[in-house]
Amino acid sequence: NAGVTQTPKFQVLKTGQSMTLQCAQDMNHNSMYWYRQDPGMGLRLIYYSASEGTTDKGEVPNGYNVSRLNKREFSLRLESAAPSQTSVYFCASRETRKGSYNEQFFGPGTRLTVL
Amino acid sequence: EDQVTQSPEALRLQEGESSSLNCSYTVSGLRGLFWYRQDPGKGPEFLFTLYSAGEEKEKERLKATLTKKESFLHITAPKPEDSATYLCAARSGSARQLTFGSGTQLTVLP
């Protein structure tokens, strides 16, 4: 059981370049999330997918797009990278249950630098 | 707007020196208060969920408690391997997702 996996682990981009961050989970979870983590600011939600085929904006969606490819995979795309998008990106997943909001499981992160 | 504030930002303890981390929250209708541990270069790892005031949960040297305005993570006789950043997050009845605090970086010296 690998849990939540993310690729790549590290990436350096130049301003204006595009890239896709990949995330996959093997826990059969319905919900998946993309966060960014910046020093002193905690985790901020970029986009989430409550179930296969649906996506919704989080707190900081500008400059990003997502695709829920299937139940296992949820990708995050930067169309034209900017230095302000330098951050650590975490993917997470969660089993949805009626009547309670249970915990999210996180991947190891992608460290992105935009020059 | 939901807010979660953690204090202190950083805490250094000697091995065996017990202490508490604070998580204050302002959310409308709490639907869950979560504690995570994050080691350097890794993703957050789930520790506890608390749902109602007065609830307590324990795991090894850690105990989490919840009141109507804040949560505490008590660390009893910590060891160097407890060194990490501890994050709390809250989910309100109105928001569909979690609001995270910025974390407390704990260092336990041998």
Side-chain angles (χ1 to χ4, degrees), chain B residues 8 80 85:
Chain B
T85 296

Side-chain angles (χ1 to χ4, degrees), chain A residues 18-103:
Chain A
S18 62
M19 78 161 296
T20 299
L21 282 64
Q22 306 287 353
C23 173
Q25 52 92 9
D26 62 1
M27 295 175 281
N28 202 36
H29 289 170
N30 283 321
S31 298
M32 296 186 74
Y33 307 82
W34 276 106
Y35 292 90
R36 60 178 290 172
Q37 186 175 42
D38 302 293
M41 299 197 71
L43 286 157
R44 292 183 292 168
L45 184 65
I46 305 171
Y47 270 93
Y48 66 98
S49 170
S51 62
E52 187 179 352
T54 69
T55 60
D56 284 289
K57 294 179 181 179
E59 181 186 353
V60 289
N62 291 347
Y64 305 95
N65 285 302
V66 290
S67 295
R68 183 74 183 266
L69 306 169
N70 48 54
K71 191 170 185 179
R72 289 186 64 248
E73 298 171 291
F74 189 36
S75 63
L76 179 71
R77 183 160 177 83
L78 286 71
E79 291 291 351
S80 179
S84 60
Q85 293 178 305
T86 293
S87 188
V88 182
Y89 291 85
F90 289 101
C91 177
S93 70
R94 182 178 74 91
E95 180 183 351
T96 49
R97 294 184 198 140
K98 266 191 171 181
S100 68
Y101 191 93
N102 44 299
E103 69 274 17

Side-chain angles (χ1 to χ4, degrees), chain A residues 33 37 48 101 104 107 111, chain B residues 34 36 38 41 43 46 51 97:
Chain A
Y33 307 82
Q37 186 175 42
Y48 66 98
Y101 191 93
Q104 297 179 16
R111 283 140 190 85
Chain B
F34 298 79
Y36 284 86
Q38 186 174 22
F46 171 72
Y51 288 105
Q97 308 307 331

